[in-house]
Amino acid sequence: MELIQPHDEVLIQLPSETTKLVKIVPDSIIGLGKFGSFPANSLLGRPYYLTWNILDGENFGLEPVPISELNSEKLATHTVPTTSSDPTKASKKSKATDSSTPSGVDSPGLALEDSAIGVQVGEDGEEDDEDVALDAGMLEQELEREQKLWEAEMKNNRDIRDDQTAQSMTWQEIEKLKKSGGTGSGKEIIARLLQSHAYIDKKTAFSLAKYTKRKTNKYLKRIRVIPADVPNFTHYLITQKEPLKMLEIRDEAMGLLMNWADVKWGGRYLVIDDTGGLVVAAMAERMGLLAGEDARAPKKVSSARKRKREETDDGKDVKEEEAPIPQVDTSEAPEIVEAAQREANDHPYNTPIKPKTGYEQTSIPVSNTITVLHTQDQPNLSLLRPFNFDTANLINTTTHPLSSHLLSLSFLQLLSPESDVTLERPPLITDEVLRTLKSVKRSNYHRKCRRQERLLNIVSSTRRGSFDGAIIATGMELSGVINTVTPLLKGSGQLVIYSPSVEPLSEVVDWCSTLRRTEFMRIKKETDAASEASGTSLQQPQLHVLDPDNTNPDIDPATLDTLKSLPKLPAHTSDEYFPIDPTNLLAPTIHTSRVRTFQALPGRTHPLMTSRGGSEGYVLHATRVFPILEGKVEARGKFGSRKKGGGGERSGGGGKKVKMSASLNGKKEDQMEVDRVD
Amino acid sequence: MAAVAPQADPQLASSASTSSTGTIVTFADSSFLPGPNSLSTIAPNSRAIAHLTRDVLQSVLVQPATSSSTSTPEPVANLKRKQPSGSGSASLNTRFGSFPHSSLLVPAGSQVRSASGTGFIHILRPTPELWTLSLPHRTQVVYTPDSSYILHRLRVRPGSRIIEAGAGSGSFTHASARAVYNGVHEHPPSTDTTTGQADGTKEEKDGANSALGPALSDGSARPPATLTGSQGRVLSFEFHADRASILRHELRQHGLHQIVTVTNRDVCASGFSLPDPELDIGGNTYATAVFLDLPAPWLAIPHLTRENGSLSQTKAVRICCFSPCLEQALRTIVVLREQGWVEEDLVEVAHKRLEVRRMGPNGREIGAKSRSQGDDEIKVASVEDSVGKLKKQLWHRKAKQARQREKLAKRRKLDEDGNEEVQDDDSDVDMDANDDEETEEVPEVVEEENGNGRLHLFNQGRVLVRTEPELKTHTSYLVFAVLPLPWTEEDEIAAKAKYTLPPRPAPQVNPKTGKDYTSGGKAPKPSADGKLSKNQEKKLKKAQEKAARLASESKSTEDTDV
């Protein structure tokens, strides 16, 4: 059952239509400010999405609000039959929701209907969902209903005076009622407020509904608990926390990112995430890395760690101790790894990285991984914490699926690993000496070795490339990022970039413009021809060359050898005209998507009056392709020669000539291709 | 926190228990999914996407070189449907030339030259997005902006079960198949995995090469009992029999048939969970997500209940109804509210694709067809330019007038000689000369040159962004809702017994200020033995002092006032 468990972080929707992130610690009291407080235990073991009344006074705690009551309040503002008018439906409803407390007549929504909106409640509005057919009778009924609705709306606020005396109930009376506590106090207040309002009969149904809703939010302390999954958490962050920190990424953009990047279970992805880990969380969710028992909150991290420490104190070998802990997560059955390895044998890049000295958890999975590239020493993935994954405790803790499937390395470790500090291996300590050491020192030694090995494996696997896709959500200059990331993608892999504003992305598209690409190909062809003439060939695969000036002297020779055997990353030296290699990316396209929310109350349906401004959020996606490099020049030659002709004239000619060649070469992609076929 | 307890349906308990030990998880043999076929090379008998231009994508079922002669007609002849090009012949014909299938067996992402060598295309590995852009339309297609948002909001995850009713052209089917995919879970039959997989590939080949037999085309050729409950599934319903069978056929071609179950049924009439031999998970769907793309979703919603087994017994269920008209959406919402769904939300997705151009220094778009812009092009780049140009014209005019005056003076002199005819000719010549001068007046473009002295036209001016020429301003209204788990009074009592409430803390009232901390979160919490910590004591003391001071101060001020 999907129930609220101890130490889960949940989101609580408050009557003020704001949300609060709360950790449900057993035996604690959760305070909600002016809305009161309740014991955490009254939420434990309960399902999500239920609505609760906060009870004060004697029976301190929470009381479930039946869904039928909630919904009938919404339905009541309409002519749609409610529970009171149709006993069969009421029984059905309570059956559907399994709420055994049938919504009583004392519910404010229903009382309201009886007294005030009674005018327009027509029994003819009855519609039975079982046999609704769009026959003529139905249609007539509907029209009639609509008519009545409009008549009801004809009531206007002409006779309503805006003054303080309209409400005859005093605040002292309200306070007194409030103090009396109990379940019914809120409802009673509302009922009394409605009764004692001077113009209640003159209000239109709609304004009455609005009034009631306002009062309901004020006096009924109702909360709803929703799970803090990625969409809910995103909404919480963007509306209430610091949206700038997560680049104001909205659900629409997140959905586009995930779909265009083709994020799926079993893939390998590269991420540059300046949203504090939100993009990583969304990917992990799509890859099944946030699900399952392992992804739950550890009961007590500190005690687990303590226990571990105690066990190490027994003098057993640490290796044996820690080996079983970081096993491959259960979301990926061991058989899969076999299958993956079988697959890997077919593919040179996918060869599993074997641990060298037998630290099990240093080997990294060959599929279903997220590789985070970061700029600092450590990635900023603080927003993963509510998903029970804390990067600060990466090595020490957990059985969380992410701890084995989330790989992180800095740009330095990727591009110039020989200059990195983490790749230093502590001086070897033999087993005999190791046994005599204090447990803290011993486990420190093992931890360092493990960290070094794991990083080395991450570096090797990342540099081998062949990623299924890459997601970039960063404020960094994009040319450098694209030049780093693109060569690591496999053919037809997707490069997807998120940006809060469009300008950085439009630049990228411009860097790949047809004109620029053509010119780039031409220049490249010329230089290639020149280099061929001089006898040097650039096509041979090369190995990584260590930076002689900045090699960390403390890295041991074995590691250096591994680094030397890594493939050289194809580098593009960006200049003013060609910041990125425009031939690598196919059809970069920018999308922007925005959701418009409606108030959905029949007769009163309209888009929300206000919504959040700020950044629109743009998503660019492009496909990694391999251009034809070898072979006849004529493939592009027909096009190139025309360009050459134009260029030649242009250099001599004046402005008019420029215009002409612009129209020749500067056509849209598809026109140009048509020309080529001719 | 968003962790979801593993599926433990009571109905599936038997399979769940074995799944921890006995289930074999393998990669599906599909070019859409990671696995043996998603290696970097396009494999024979798999789907590939030919990228012609940004807007023109063609899907092609690449055939192995040997079987080109035995190509099979697809069971779709009765529908007037555009045949995916290349499915019947051994070469892909596009407007850029003809591409033999053998030339397409290259690493995905490669540029491929046509047989004649004049045109070329890119050949890509298929994704649900590319497939959406290239699939043969049978009905209105759910495009990526909508489907991505829907799948995100419905929390479709690896291992989820999603009901899709109104499969239509299968666009959403593919996207959701990718989302639920968590490998193909099977109970080990008598044979071991490797042969099982070999069978799978063989079957796949059979399905693609030989004419599809009726038995093969229904998507349930595998013995149903072997699939386990923890596998992610798309339960697709389509009431149009032909469309359902075509979709099955496509899914088989794409290797997704183990993930998607297509059922030909009118869900409005007969519901989602009739015991159906085609549903190889025992008739009940137990879905956690529902997507309804039906003309009247309110007729289908009452069939979605936990009692009849169509919805998950253990999890909250999310629904999305996709209706083009507001009336449909509202009606849907009413029924959802009546059926006890909560968190209903009516939204509309507005999506734009942006185009990027460059505006040259003289106000013209570089890269746009200048022909279409007509004659009234903007010729000046700036105010200064315009003023300067007009000033220049002034001096030209003045110079001209001076010249003309000079000439007139000359002529007058000549007139004295009585020569009149020459005058006209002279002025004509003057006018022509003037025209020439004006055309030579060209705005000086800041021209960047590359090493060869050529212009870098592509780097001039500035980058412009505008929306695509044809905008989809409305696709559909999306109605979202959640059905919480049922919660009865007995459940509540049981939960209360399991998690007993701690005794209510005594009301904590600050004795001085009289403020009640009990309901607020900021109350100083007494430690276990009931005493306040030192820090808290200090704070309390301070607060008391402050209150006392304030009181005395106010007193004194009152005194002075009096």
Side-chain angles (χ1 to χ4, degrees), chain A residues 403-427:
Chain A
S403 63
S404 55
H405 290 260
L406 180 72
L407 318 169
S408 71
L409 74 168
S410 68
F411 280 99
L412 176 76
Q413 288 160 348
L414 172 70
L415 296 175
S416 184
E418 67 276 7
S419 314
D420 186 61
V421 199
T422 325
L423 282 175
E424 285 173 22
R425 201 179 169 89

PDB file of all heavy atoms in Angstrom, chain A residues 403-427:
ATOM      1  N   SER A 403      22.822   5.707  -5.264  1.00  0.00           N
ATOM      2  CA  SER A 403      24.211   5.724  -4.819  1.00  0.00           C
ATOM      3  C   SER A 403      25.093   4.900  -5.731  1.00  0.00           C
ATOM      4  O   SER A 403      26.283   5.157  -5.835  1.00  0.00           O
ATOM      5  CB  SER A 403      24.309   5.230  -3.374  1.00  0.00           C
ATOM      6  OG  SER A 403      23.888   3.888  -3.312  1.00  0.00           O
ATOM      7  N   SER A 404      24.530   3.935  -6.425  1.00  0.00           N
ATOM      8  CA  SER A 404      25.365   3.217  -7.385  1.00  0.00           C
ATOM      9  C   SER A 404      25.144   3.711  -8.808  1.00  0.00           C
ATOM     10  O   SER A 404      26.034   3.616  -9.637  1.00  0.00           O
ATOM     11  CB  SER A 404      25.076   1.709  -7.300  1.00  0.00           C
ATOM     12  OG  SER A 404      23.693   1.485  -7.478  1.00  0.00           O
ATOM     13  N   HIS A 405      23.988   4.271  -9.103  1.00  0.00           N
ATOM     14  CA  HIS A 405      23.677   4.627 -10.483  1.00  0.00           C
ATOM     15  C   HIS A 405      23.902   6.096 -10.791  1.00  0.00           C
ATOM     16  O   HIS A 405      23.776   6.504 -11.933  1.00  0.00           O
ATOM     17  CB  HIS A 405      22.244   4.229 -10.811  1.00  0.00           C
ATOM     18  CG  HIS A 405      22.047   2.756 -10.887  1.00  0.00           C
ATOM     19  ND1 HIS A 405      21.994   2.078 -12.074  1.00  0.00           N
ATOM     20  CD2 HIS A 405      21.960   1.815  -9.920  1.00  0.00           C
ATOM     21  CE1 HIS A 405      21.845   0.802 -11.837  1.00  0.00           C
ATOM     22  NE2 HIS A 405      21.827   0.612 -10.531  1.00  0.00           N
ATOM     23  N   LEU A 406      24.168   6.880  -9.786  1.00  0.00           N
ATOM     24  CA  LEU A 406      24.493   8.281 -10.020  1.00  0.00           C
ATOM     25  C   LEU A 406      26.004   8.419  -9.974  1.00  0.00           C
ATOM     26  O   LEU A 406      26.636   8.130  -8.967  1.00  0.00           O
ATOM     27  CB  LEU A 406      23.858   9.166  -8.946  1.00  0.00           C
ATOM     28  CG  LEU A 406      24.120  10.660  -9.089  1.00  0.00           C
ATOM     29  CD1 LEU A 406      23.347  11.232 -10.242  1.00  0.00           C
ATOM     30  CD2 LEU A 406      23.762  11.383  -7.812  1.00  0.00           C
ATOM     31  N   LEU A 407      26.592   8.810 -11.087  1.00  0.00           N
ATOM     32  CA  LEU A 407      28.034   8.949 -11.171  1.00  0.00           C
ATOM     33  C   LEU A 407      28.331  10.426 -11.356  1.00  0.00           C
ATOM     34  O   LEU A 407      27.678  11.086 -12.159  1.00  0.00           O
ATOM     35  CB  LEU A 407      28.581   8.161 -12.368  1.00  0.00           C
ATOM     36  CG  LEU A 407      27.964   6.780 -12.560  1.00  0.00           C
ATOM     37  CD1 LEU A 407      28.370   6.201 -13.896  1.00  0.00           C
ATOM     38  CD2 LEU A 407      28.397   5.869 -11.437  1.00  0.00           C
ATOM     39  N   SER A 408      29.282  10.931 -10.615  1.00  0.00           N
ATOM     40  CA  SER A 408      29.555  12.350 -10.790  1.00  0.00           C
ATOM     41  C   SER A 408      31.040  12.574 -10.957  1.00  0.00           C
ATOM     42  O   SER A 408      31.870  11.900 -10.349  1.00  0.00           O
ATOM     43  CB  SER A 408      29.028  13.141  -9.593  1.00  0.00           C
ATOM     44  OG  SER A 408      29.809  12.878  -8.465  1.00  0.00           O
ATOM     45  N   LEU A 409      31.369  13.501 -11.833  1.00  0.00           N
ATOM     46  CA  LEU A 409      32.760  13.903 -11.992  1.00  0.00           C
ATOM     47  C   LEU A 409      32.800  15.335 -12.459  1.00  0.00           C
ATOM     48  O   LEU A 409      31.843  15.835 -13.060  1.00  0.00           O
ATOM     49  CB  LEU A 409      33.531  12.986 -12.957  1.00  0.00           C
ATOM     50  CG  LEU A 409      33.300  13.071 -14.447  1.00  0.00           C
ATOM     51  CD1 LEU A 409      34.373  12.301 -15.172  1.00  0.00           C
ATOM     52  CD2 LEU A 409      31.961  12.523 -14.840  1.00  0.00           C
ATOM     53  N   SER A 410      33.893  16.013 -12.147  1.00  0.00           N
ATOM     54  CA  SER A 410      33.994  17.417 -12.517  1.00  0.00           C
ATOM     55  C   SER A 410      34.537  17.514 -13.933  1.00  0.00           C
ATOM     56  O   SER A 410      35.081  16.559 -14.482  1.00  0.00           O
ATOM     57  CB  SER A 410      34.910  18.153 -11.544  1.00  0.00           C
ATOM     58  OG  SER A 410      36.231  17.705 -11.714  1.00  0.00           O
ATOM     59  N   PHE A 411      34.396  18.697 -14.510  1.00  0.00           N
ATOM     60  CA  PHE A 411      34.936  18.912 -15.853  1.00  0.00           C
ATOM     61  C   PHE A 411      36.438  18.644 -15.876  1.00  0.00           C
ATOM     62  O   PHE A 411      36.974  18.102 -16.832  1.00  0.00           O
ATOM     63  CB  PHE A 411      34.652  20.339 -16.310  1.00  0.00           C
ATOM     64  CG  PHE A 411      33.262  20.533 -16.820  1.00  0.00           C
ATOM     65  CD1 PHE A 411      32.282  21.080 -16.017  1.00  0.00           C
ATOM     66  CD2 PHE A 411      32.931  20.150 -18.110  1.00  0.00           C
ATOM     67  CE1 PHE A 411      30.992  21.245 -16.485  1.00  0.00           C
ATOM     68  CE2 PHE A 411      31.641  20.314 -18.581  1.00  0.00           C
ATOM     69  CZ  PHE A 411      30.670  20.862 -17.778  1.00  0.00           C
ATOM     70  N   LEU A 412      37.099  19.022 -14.793  1.00  0.00           N
ATOM     71  CA  LEU A 412      38.541  18.773 -14.717  1.00  0.00           C
ATOM     72  C   LEU A 412      38.825  17.282 -14.774  1.00  0.00           C
ATOM     73  O   LEU A 412      39.693  16.825 -15.509  1.00  0.00           O
ATOM     74  CB  LEU A 412      39.093  19.361 -13.424  1.00  0.00           C
ATOM     75  CG  LEU A 412      40.573  19.086 -13.185  1.00  0.00           C
ATOM     76  CD1 LEU A 412      41.422  19.982 -14.054  1.00  0.00           C
ATOM     77  CD2 LEU A 412      40.946  19.247 -11.730  1.00  0.00           C
ATOM     78  N   GLN A 413      38.048  16.518 -14.010  1.00  0.00           N
ATOM     79  CA  GLN A 413      38.290  15.074 -13.978  1.00  0.00           C
ATOM     80  C   GLN A 413      37.994  14.428 -15.311  1.00  0.00           C
ATOM     81  O   GLN A 413      38.577  13.408 -15.661  1.00  0.00           O
ATOM     82  CB  GLN A 413      37.439  14.439 -12.873  1.00  0.00           C
ATOM     83  CG  GLN A 413      37.958  14.771 -11.488  1.00  0.00           C
ATOM     84  CD  GLN A 413      36.910  14.579 -10.409  1.00  0.00           C
ATOM     85  OE1 GLN A 413      35.725  14.414 -10.703  1.00  0.00           O
ATOM     86  NE2 GLN A 413      37.341  14.624  -9.168  1.00  0.00           N
ATOM     87  N   LEU A 414      37.104  15.037 -16.074  1.00  0.00           N
ATOM     88  CA  LEU A 414      36.808  14.488 -17.392  1.00  0.00           C
ATOM     89  C   LEU A 414      37.880  14.893 -18.388  1.00  0.00           C
ATOM     90  O   LEU A 414      38.423  14.050 -19.112  1.00  0.00           O
ATOM     91  CB  LEU A 414      35.440  14.984 -17.872  1.00  0.00           C
ATOM     92  CG  LEU A 414      35.117  14.635 -19.308  1.00  0.00           C
ATOM     93  CD1 LEU A 414      34.868  13.151 -19.463  1.00  0.00           C
ATOM     94  CD2 LEU A 414      33.905  15.405 -19.804  1.00  0.00           C
ATOM     95  N   LEU A 415      38.216  16.165 -18.439  1.00  0.00           N
ATOM     96  CA  LEU A 415      39.057  16.678 -19.517  1.00  0.00           C
ATOM     97  C   LEU A 415      40.536  16.508 -19.210  1.00  0.00           C
ATOM     98  O   LEU A 415      41.336  16.274 -20.105  1.00  0.00           O
ATOM     99  CB  LEU A 415      38.736  18.155 -19.753  1.00  0.00           C
ATOM    100  CG  LEU A 415      37.307  18.404 -20.241  1.00  0.00           C
ATOM    101  CD1 LEU A 415      37.028  19.891 -20.334  1.00  0.00           C
ATOM    102  CD2 LEU A 415      37.072  17.733 -21.584  1.00  0.00           C
ATOM    103  N   SER A 416      40.882  16.649 -17.961  1.00  0.00           N
ATOM    104  CA  SER A 416      42.297  16.568 -17.617  1.00  0.00           C
ATOM    105  C   SER A 416      42.457  15.829 -16.301  1.00  0.00           C
ATOM    106  O   SER A 416      42.848  16.395 -15.294  1.00  0.00           O
ATOM    107  CB  SER A 416      42.840  18.000 -17.528  1.00  0.00           C
ATOM    108  OG  SER A 416      44.205  17.973 -17.296  1.00  0.00           O
ATOM    109  N   PRO A 417      42.122  14.551 -16.310  1.00  0.00           N
ATOM    110  CA  PRO A 417      42.088  13.809 -15.033  1.00  0.00           C
ATOM    111  C   PRO A 417      43.443  13.768 -14.334  1.00  0.00           C
ATOM    112  O   PRO A 417      43.499  13.620 -13.119  1.00  0.00           O
ATOM    113  CB  PRO A 417      41.631  12.407 -15.456  1.00  0.00           C
ATOM    114  CG  PRO A 417      41.867  12.318 -16.911  1.00  0.00           C
ATOM    115  CD  PRO A 417      41.789  13.711 -17.452  1.00  0.00           C
ATOM    116  N   GLU A 418      44.513  13.929 -15.094  1.00  0.00           N
ATOM    117  CA  GLU A 418      45.831  13.824 -14.471  1.00  0.00           C
ATOM    118  C   GLU A 418      46.100  14.971 -13.502  1.00  0.00           C
ATOM    119  O   GLU A 418      47.013  14.909 -12.706  1.00  0.00           O
ATOM    120  CB  GLU A 418      46.921  13.752 -15.544  1.00  0.00           C
ATOM    121  CG  GLU A 418      47.104  15.011 -16.373  1.00  0.00           C
ATOM    122  CD  GLU A 418      46.138  15.095 -17.533  1.00  0.00           C
ATOM    123  OE1 GLU A 418      45.235  14.236 -17.612  1.00  0.00           O
ATOM    124  OE2 GLU A 418      46.274  16.002 -18.357  1.00  0.00           O
ATOM    125  N   SER A 419      45.291  16.048 -13.588  1.00  0.00           N
ATOM    126  CA  SER A 419      45.516  17.178 -12.687  1.00  0.00           C
ATOM    127  C   SER A 419      44.634  17.116 -11.453  1.00  0.00           C
ATOM    128  O   SER A 419      44.589  18.059 -10.679  1.00  0.00           O
ATOM    129  CB  SER A 419      45.239  18.491 -13.424  1.00  0.00           C
ATOM    130  OG  SER A 419      45.844  18.490 -14.682  1.00  0.00           O
ATOM    131  N   ASP A 420      43.941  16.026 -11.280  1.00  0.00           N
ATOM    132  CA  ASP A 420      42.963  15.972 -10.194  1.00  0.00           C
ATOM    133  C   ASP A 420      43.568  15.410  -8.917  1.00  0.00           C
ATOM    134  O   ASP A 420      44.527  14.645  -8.941  1.00  0.00           O
ATOM    135  CB  ASP A 420      41.778  15.106 -10.620  1.00  0.00           C
ATOM    136  CG  ASP A 420      40.686  15.156  -9.584  1.00  0.00           C
ATOM    137  OD1 ASP A 420      40.188  16.269  -9.356  1.00  0.00           O
ATOM    138  OD2 ASP A 420      40.370  14.114  -9.003  1.00  0.00           O
ATOM    139  N   VAL A 421      43.007  15.827  -7.809  1.00  0.00           N
ATOM    140  CA  VAL A 421      43.530  15.400  -6.507  1.00  0.00           C
ATOM    141  C   VAL A 421      42.950  14.053  -6.087  1.00  0.00           C
ATOM    142  O   VAL A 421      43.626  13.247  -5.462  1.00  0.00           O
ATOM    143  CB  VAL A 421      43.185  16.446  -5.425  1.00  0.00           C
ATOM    144  CG1 VAL A 421      44.086  16.271  -4.231  1.00  0.00           C
ATOM    145  CG2 VAL A 421      43.317  17.847  -5.990  1.00  0.00           C
ATOM    146  N   THR A 422      41.704  13.840  -6.449  1.00  0.00           N
ATOM    147  CA  THR A 422      41.031  12.640  -5.958  1.00  0.00           C
ATOM    148  C   THR A 422      41.637  11.373  -6.541  1.00  0.00           C
ATOM    149  O   THR A 422      41.468  10.288  -5.992  1.00  0.00           O
ATOM    150  CB  THR A 422      39.537  12.698  -6.319  1.00  0.00           C
ATOM    151  OG1 THR A 422      39.115  14.040  -6.233  1.00  0.00           O
ATOM    152  CG2 THR A 422      38.720  11.833  -5.408  1.00  0.00           C
ATOM    153  N   LEU A 423      42.329  11.512  -7.665  1.00  0.00           N
ATOM    154  CA  LEU A 423      42.895  10.313  -8.281  1.00  0.00           C
ATOM    155  C   LEU A 423      44.195   9.879  -7.622  1.00  0.00           C
ATOM    156  O   LEU A 423      44.786   8.872  -7.993  1.00  0.00           O
ATOM    157  CB  LEU A 423      43.112  10.548  -9.778  1.00  0.00           C
ATOM    158  CG  LEU A 423      41.832  10.442 -10.614  1.00  0.00           C
ATOM    159  CD1 LEU A 423      42.104  10.792 -12.046  1.00  0.00           C
ATOM    160  CD2 LEU A 423      41.263   9.036 -10.519  1.00  0.00           C
ATOM    161  N   GLU A 424      44.651  10.662  -6.645  1.00  0.00           N
ATOM    162  CA  GLU A 424      45.811  10.210  -5.869  1.00  0.00           C
ATOM    163  C   GLU A 424      45.402   8.991  -5.084  1.00  0.00           C
ATOM    164  O   GLU A 424      44.348   8.958  -4.452  1.00  0.00           O
ATOM    165  CB  GLU A 424      46.219  11.294  -4.856  1.00  0.00           C
ATOM    166  CG  GLU A 424      46.916  12.469  -5.435  1.00  0.00           C
ATOM    167  CD  GLU A 424      47.111  13.544  -4.376  1.00  0.00           C
ATOM    168  OE1 GLU A 424      47.089  13.204  -3.179  1.00  0.00           O
ATOM    169  OE2 GLU A 424      47.267  14.706  -4.750  1.00  0.00           O
ATOM    170  N   ARG A 425      46.248   7.992  -5.103  1.00  0.00           N
ATOM    171  CA  ARG A 425      45.961   6.813  -4.304  1.00  0.00           C
ATOM    172  C   ARG A 425      46.854   6.864  -3.076  1.00  0.00           C
ATOM    173  O   ARG A 425      48.031   7.178  -3.170  1.00  0.00           O
ATOM    174  CB  ARG A 425      46.276   5.565  -5.127  1.00  0.00           C
ATOM    175  CG  ARG A 425      45.560   4.337  -4.625  1.00  0.00           C
ATOM    176  CD  ARG A 425      45.908   3.159  -5.516  1.00  0.00           C
ATOM    177  NE  ARG A 425      45.442   1.954  -4.873  1.00  0.00           N
ATOM    178  CZ  ARG A 425      44.232   1.455  -5.054  1.00  0.00           C
ATOM    179  NH1 ARG A 425      43.414   2.040  -5.872  1.00  0.00           N
ATOM    180  NH2 ARG A 425      43.871   0.356  -4.426  1.00  0.00           N
ATOM    181  N   PRO A 426      46.277   6.643  -1.920  1.00  0.00           N
ATOM    182  CA  PRO A 426      47.129   6.695  -0.728  1.00  0.00           C
ATOM    183  C   PRO A 426      48.223   5.635  -0.829  1.00  0.00           C
ATOM    184  O   PRO A 426      48.018   4.597  -1.463  1.00  0.00           O
ATOM    185  CB  PRO A 426      46.145   6.393   0.405  1.00  0.00           C
ATOM    186  CG  PRO A 426      44.978   5.745  -0.236  1.00  0.00           C
ATOM    187  CD  PRO A 426      44.908   6.276  -1.609  1.00  0.00           C
ATOM    188  N   PRO A 427      49.357   5.910  -0.250  1.00  0.00           N
ATOM    189  CA  PRO A 427      50.455   4.945  -0.319  1.00  0.00           C
ATOM    190  C   PRO A 427      50.006   3.582   0.202  1.00  0.00           C
ATOM    191  O   PRO A 427      49.270   3.497   1.200  1.00  0.00           O
ATOM    192  CB  PRO A 427      51.530   5.554   0.574  1.00  0.00           C
ATOM    193  CG  PRO A 427      50.855   6.660   1.326  1.00  0.00           C
ATOM    194  CD  PRO A 427      49.715   7.105   0.488  1.00  0.00           C
TER     195      PRO A 427
END
